[in-house]
Amino acid sequence: MITHAMEDYLKTVYLLQEGQKKVSTSAIAQQMDVSAASVTGMIRKLAAMGLLNYASYHGVELTEGGKKIAQEIIRHHRLLELYLVEIMGFTWDKVHDEADKLEHVISEEFEERMSEALGHPTTDPHGHAIPAKDGALQEVAYETLTKVDAGSSATVQHVNDNDPEMLRYLDQLGILPSTVIQVVSKEPFNGPLRLRIDQTEHFVSREVAGNVFVAAPGKEAN
Amino acid sequence: MITHAMEDYLKTVYLLQEGQKKVSTSAIAQQMDVSAASVTGMIRKLAAMGLLNYASYHGVELTEGGKKIAQEIIRHHRLLELYLVEIMGFTWDKVHDEADKLEHVISEEFEERMSEALGHPTTDPHGHAIPAKDGALQEVAYETLTKVDAGSSATVQHVNDNDPEMLRYLDQLGILPSTVIQVVSKEPFNGPLRLRIDQTEHFVSREVAGNVFVAAPGKEAN
DNA sequence: AATTATATTTAGGTACTCCTAAATTTTTAA
DNA sequence: TTAAAAATTTAGGAGTACCTAAATATAATT
């Protein structure tokens, strides 16, 4: 039997795995806010179930079976976030925590009816791709706003969704998926960035800018 | 900390308590499909938390605190059932199981937005009263269809919601809350009842009729 | 009132998920 | 290449919720 906790581990590994192949025990522990010892224990169980490959001391990698479960949970999460915003009228800073609880308990029919009500969407309120029912998540190459050169413009692809206060701040600045931002200045070194958003200039800390992801140079938001 | 399992016990005791004051260990065990030993263990914990009063070997009774939590869960459950039917398009036989999972994880905001979308309803799809946000559940006196005299008519108040197959059967017969049913004949003894529903006569087993609750004589559905 | 039947509790155990502290392995750096 | 630092695993333990089997209390019956 697959438990809610197991689903959470698979989801976390899947999201950390993007880009890299192997994911370390400590990366999982940090992301989930549990001890490394707890991660080792759960990893061994998931490996025994054939949901990930595990070489002691050398990290994990999801199997196809593990990926499938992770994608289902991520699909639930992102459909829920969009449903909560579009149909139920939640603000985008509240939906992550609600979806984190609901994603493990909704039925396939609930998932299907949400998808239908939303017209089978492909992106959640924070700009993350919603995996298809069967399928894979086609991720694009991203970089954070801090990497954009002074003078250049970039289009927001997605923002981190796990910090409600951060989301309220970004909303206030007008930073949403598909917003176009010009980096006016990156001076002084490691100081706040000077950004032009919708005709207005703002100073934004590098920490905040690190939560905003834009299309890599030469690529555009779709 | 109050867990999902504790919420389930409190809900069960609350619903079994209607009418009687004390609820027995075995009644809870049967209703929840767990062993009597498990019930004793949980009861002791809930009593220690002040959520119910417990005299060893003599059953339990919810305290005001326990009642409040039970009512909140029942409000969640019944609002969810109605939301799933009215807004999401579920059939009434599917919503009980879905609501049983969701009722423990939705936030107060989720509850409030459902209630608003539904126009602050007072009855769920099976005819059960939805407790008010603060408050109590004003239950009416009910009796099952099997108790209605031959020749008399009665208005359906509510039906048991925990058996999907039964609900599909009742739906097919046209037995819903507010349906008027005439009991044509109760012969032979302990055999099926002969009912007139919307101009048509049907034979319905006493077991099925035991799942249909009607207003007590002299009372009417509201 | 004594005996039988039923209901309930206690005892002992399993599975899940988490923890801290100690031991071990791997990586980094002198 | 060896010693120190960092990461990971193992060992031992806690809390939750369930189980079966045995003991005990209550209720029913003769």
Side-chain angles (χ1 to χ4, degrees), chain B residues 9 34 46 51 54 63 70 89 101 121 142 153 186 192 195:
Chain B
Y9 276 92
V34 297
L46 293 171
L51 298 173
Y54 168 50
T63 62
K101 296 179 297 174
Y142 300 120
S153 288
K186 299 175 84 172
L195 305 178

Side-chain angles (χ1 to χ4, degrees), chain B residues 48-67:
Chain B
M49 295 171 76
L51 298 173
L52 46 77
N53 295 315
Y54 168 50
S56 206
Y57 290 100
H58 294 91
V60 300
E61 193 174 9
L62 293 181
T63 62
E64 284 309 309
K67 270 185 200 157

